[in-house]
Amino acid sequence: METASDTLCERPHPSRRAVLLGSGALFAWAYLPRFARAAEARDPRLVVLVLRGALDGLSTVAPVGDPDYHGLHGDIALALDGPHPALPLDGFFALNPAMPTFARLFQARQALVVHAAATGYRERSHFDGQDVLESGFPGPGHTATGWLNRALADLPAGERIAPHGGLAVGPSTPLVMRGAAPVLGWAPQVLPDAGDDLAARLLDLYDHRDPALAIALRRGLEAERLAAGDGMGMTKRKGGLDSAAGMRQAAEGAARLIAAEDGPRLAALAFDGWDTHVNEGGATGRLAMLLGGLDGAFAAFESGLGQYWKDTVVVAVTEFGRTARINGTEGTDHGTGTVMLLAGGAVKGGRVVADWPGLKLAQLHEGRDLRPTTDVRSVLKGLLADQFGLSPMALGSTIFPDSLSVRPMAGLVA
């Protein structure tokens, strides 16, 4: 069994120049033309939330109707009774109580769950799993471009959505949004506050020594101002992207950018901290704190997008799941099958989509993990097809290479 020490991940610390050039030098978005749109035309948006560290799907959306669930998940298993009851979704699945917004959206048919999902990757390395998830390739080692950027680039010339570019939020541009298509990069917690003396001194220095970097820094500060909703100064940052406050604040800022008339229509946000080997907790504890932050992000998009929420899909994905059985430190280790969470006014919700594999020992993947029965790419392909009209051929060859056999899931969008 893996232990926390066996699976500690490297945490790269990019230089300020690497961050600014990775997320700011592609500010071509700022110069792209505005488009007039018919008032009645649909204006779709897709937001991808990448949960880095592997999500325990069995403590996020619990199969409380499976007789083997509580025996495997032990003290962190969710229950429909007790001091912190789970939120029923249907007669079989229940939601972690830290996610009341998602539960409300589910009841309003604006959210759905895809359970027992995974990419085609079957090892348990965070780095390789994240590469596969974000690159869209069948295996690891493809880190130059991401599937969401390729989708943006593949939209037909002249499409009113294509010139808006994409949005990437993270300490550096998430792989899923790297590529040739124009990207607005926003790196919360990395750029100095616009009103700081440090920002002024950096701009003066870069103006003299590195004009390209000066342009990137200015564009980054402009994105910070818009994301903060303050044309003159900055709001105080509340936390990193591995905290509940930081996730919500990042979503609030991203929603302002996406809701702009000439803003990006495809976005990716990277949230860290989901590697819960020790003291994970179930209805309470670290995982519940993170899920509360994710729930807050869903709420921030619903509120911040306003009239555009009706045409939006927000999907949360992770590189793989976690073990069905808890470990000796009240946590879970690297696993396989997990959940995808979809919310938005465009979602055909109120459902848990699952070909449930069961939790008996013989039904588990390699005797330890929830066995995946749905390919993550099928869901993502379905969203891209329904939201933006991308063809099965483009989805199976360019956007998700070598995946023509993985058919887009139909009926996700209302």
Side-chain angles (χ1 to χ4, degrees), residues 12-339:
H13 297 282
S15 67
R16 182 174 297 277
R17 179 180 178 83
V19 169
L20 289 173
L21 291 180
S23 62
L26 295 177
F27 270 75
W29 170 84
Y31 301 102
L32 293 169
R34 300 187 179 207
F35 274 68
R37 292 191 299 274
E40 69 278 11
R42 189 168 177 269
D43 193 0
R45 288 157 169 79
L46 175 64
V47 180
V48 179
L49 307 180
V50 180
L51 312 181
R52 290 183 173 161
L55 173 64
D56 181 358
L58 296 177
S59 285
T60 302
V61 179
V64 292
D66 190 309
D68 298 293
Y69 168 62
H70 284 87
L72 286 171
H73 236 49
D75 292 341
I76 67 172
L78 303 184
L80 295 175
D81 54 9
H84 303 283
L87 307 173
L89 296 179
D90 56 22
F92 190 85
F93 293 103
L95 182 68
N96 193 291
M99 302 193 73
T101 294
F102 191 88
R104 172 178 58 79
L105 293 171
F106 187 94
Q107 296 303 322
R109 301 186 182 279
Q110 292 187 6
L112 68 79
V113 176
V114 180
H115 218 314
T119 68
Y121 178 70
R122 290 294 177 270
E123 304 300 324
R124 298 180 179 90
S125 160
H126 286 306
F127 286 138
D128 288 347
Q130 289 167 12
D131 284 353
V132 171
L133 173 68
E134 297 189 52
S135 72
F137 279 80
H142 302 274
T143 58
T145 65
W147 63 264
L148 192 57
N149 190 283
R150 293 195 299 273
L152 180 61
D154 209 60
L155 292 174
E159 279 284 320
R160 60 184 175 81
I161 192 169
H164 294 287
L167 170 66
V169 179
S172 59
T173 302
L175 170 59
V176 69
M177 193 52 100
R178 293 181 202 161
V183 172
L184 166 63
W186 177 37
Q189 304 292 317
V190 176
L191 295 176
D193 284 354
D196 282 357
D197 180 60
L198 172 61
R201 286 187 285 117
L202 283 173
L203 284 170
D204 182 65
L205 174 66
Y206 296 155
D207 278 334
H208 288 89
R209 297 189 180 182
D210 196 334
L213 190 55
I215 292 172
L217 177 57
R218 282 192 171 88
R219 295 294 176 260
L221 293 173
E222 289 170 8
E224 285 271 12
R225 290 190 189 98
L226 179 56
D230 185 344
M232 298 300 293
M234 293 295 300
T235 57
K236 183 176 177 61
R237 298 186 181 100
K238 298 177 181 178
L241 296 178
D242 59 353
S243 72
M247 280 186 268
R248 176 155 194 154
Q249 189 174 36
E252 289 171 348
R256 293 189 186 98
L257 294 166
I258 297 166
E261 178 68 15
D262 58 347
R265 300 310 196 246
L266 286 84
L269 289 75
F271 294 156
D272 296 321
W274 298 82
D275 198 15
T276 52
H277 287 281
V278 179
N279 296 326
E280 176 183 310
T284 61
R286 173 158 180 78
L287 178 62
M289 180 277 290
L290 291 167
L291 291 174
L294 178 61
D295 200 57
F298 284 125
F301 279 112
E302 179 190 21
S303 174
L305 289 176
Q307 62 177 319
Y308 301 115
W309 176 252
K310 69 181 187 304
D311 292 329
T312 296
V313 175
V314 183
V315 55
V317 293
T318 189
E319 64 261 34
F320 43 69
R322 307 194 70 84
T323 48
R325 189 182 301 278
I326 61 171
N327 60 28
T329 57
E330 296 298 307
T332 52
D333 297 315
H334 299 178
T336 309
T338 185
V339 293

